[in-house]
Amino acid sequence: MPDEFPQVQGGGSLIVAWQIKNKNVLVVGGGEVAAGRILSLLNADARVTVVCPSAGLNAEVRYRVSQRQVTHIDRVFLPLDVEPTKNVAMVLTAIDDPIASTRIWKYCKKLKIPANIADVPPECDFYFGSVHRDGPLQIMVSTNGNGPRIAAAIRRRIADMLPQGTGASIAKVGLLRRKLRKKVPGTGTEDIQRRMAWMSRVCDDWEADDLGELDDEDMAELVSHFETSSVPSFEDIRLKSWEKRKAGVVWDWDGSPGFAI
């Protein structure tokens, strides 16, 4: 019986996609590491506040401040930066001061605010991995704080293996799902399961390149097959949508050897 189930492998971390959009995040520091953290947060649509004396800002962070992509507080960290009224959802520190970093971590622990203290794994509630980004596609490789540079090398190898245009294909799948929900808006369990099952068949039966080639007319034609639970081929969908477009063309011939549409 035990052999039928996966074996537990302790020592890992729970890798999740943290939805930090429109939430307040505090970054302490303004150097190269902080710049990387800030970019990751902005890509996730977080509201970022940077606490750091102006002299400690590198060129990239200074640019973010000048473009008002982040809010800058020109001083060192103070406990008031994480008081409950600030609604801080996450704190990241990237400063060359281990004593100050530990002090900030203790403040966060007391207030139950998740924190990441750069380069100090025991004082991290979560880790940053090496991320490959292609539109909606994000792939993270984590070594649980053991080897960041190795994680980056593995991430590059994975990215090189992916077909070109993978992110665009995934974006088209997301658009197709939204069109399907609009056409079949039921919220019952049966409706949701039917949509999920049909979308799974589309993703299993179609090549990623074909999904990336879909346009609005193709999607409308494909979604029209949902009620019959059928999943036609990409070639059939492209042919049907082309025939519909051709049928809607008005031909205007003036008798000359040439003609115009």
Side-chain angles (χ1 to χ4, degrees):
M1 178 70 75
D3 293 338
E4 298 178 12
F5 307 112
Q7 295 297 310
V8 175
Q9 299 182 50
S13 56
L14 181 63
I15 297 179
V16 298
W18 196 337
Q19 298 299 305
I20 203 73
K21 181 178 181 179
N22 293 329
K23 294 183 180 179
N24 300 323
V25 179
L26 183 70
V27 176
V28 183
E32 182 179 353
V33 174
R37 301 288 196 255
I38 290 168
L39 179 58
S40 295
L41 293 168
L42 293 176
N43 285 340
D45 300 319
R47 295 189 181 123
V48 182
T49 296
V50 178
V51 176
C52 180
S54 291
L57 301 180
N58 77 354
E60 181 177 344
V61 179
R62 197 175 298 277
Y63 169 78
R64 306 287 178 203
V65 173
S66 69
Q67 296 299 305
R68 298 186 178 181
Q69 295 176 356
V70 302
T71 299
H72 177 222
I73 300 177
D74 185 6
R75 56 166 170 75
V76 297
F77 171 87
L78 295 175
L80 61 86
D81 292 323
V82 290
E83 62 186 11
T85 58
K86 299 295 178 64
N87 293 318
V88 176
M90 176 192 297
V91 172
L92 313 176
T93 75
I95 56 178
D96 295 325
D97 189 336
I99 295 176
S101 294
T102 296
R103 188 180 302 121
I104 294 170
W105 174 67
K106 289 181 177 178
Y107 280 128
C108 293
K109 294 291 285 185
K110 183 177 181 180
L111 296 171
K112 293 182 171 56
I113 300 174
N116 175 280
I117 311 303
D119 206 30
V120 187
E123 297 180 0
C124 291
D125 294 305
F126 55 92
Y127 300 121
F128 280 85
S130 183
V131 177
H132 168 71
R133 178 75 185 270
D134 180 7
L137 174 64
Q138 291 180 267
I139 300 174
M140 187 184 86
V141 178
S142 173
T143 59
N144 288 301
N146 288 283
R149 292 189 67 84
I150 294 176
I154 295 172
R155 182 260 302 164
R156 287 191 293 270
R157 292 185 63 182
I158 293 173
D160 290 341
M161 294 169 58
L162 295 173
Q164 188 173 6
T166 298
S169 298
I170 294 172
K172 290 294 181 68
V173 170
L175 182 56
L176 180 64
R177 290 181 62 193
R178 291 191 289 274
K179 287 181 178 293
L180 179 61
R181 284 198 297 268
K182 185 175 181 180
K183 182 178 177 63
V184 190
T187 57
T189 301
E190 184 176 345
D191 295 319
I192 295 172
Q193 289 178 341
R194 281 191 64 207
R195 288 198 299 265
M196 291 177 61
W198 188 79
M199 282 299 308
S200 294
R201 287 180 58 197
V202 171
C203 293
D204 289 343
D205 293 353
W206 284 37
E207 298 291 336
D209 290 345
D210 291 340
L211 289 167
E213 289 291 325
L214 286 172
D215 59 22
D216 286 342
E217 287 79 6
D218 296 330
M219 289 187 188
E221 178 62 31
L222 179 55
V223 168
S224 70
H225 290 264
F226 173 77
E227 292 300 336
T228 61
S229 298
S230 61
V231 178
S233 68
F234 172 75
E235 290 75 15
D236 287 342
I237 289 296
R238 182 50 60 88
L239 179 61
K240 291 282 183 63
S241 61
W242 182 82
E243 289 175 344
K244 288 183 178 179
R245 285 178 238 195
K246 185 175 68 171
V249 170
V250 176
W251 301 90
D252 184 13
W253 181 48
D254 61 5
S256 63
F259 62 91
I261 298 177

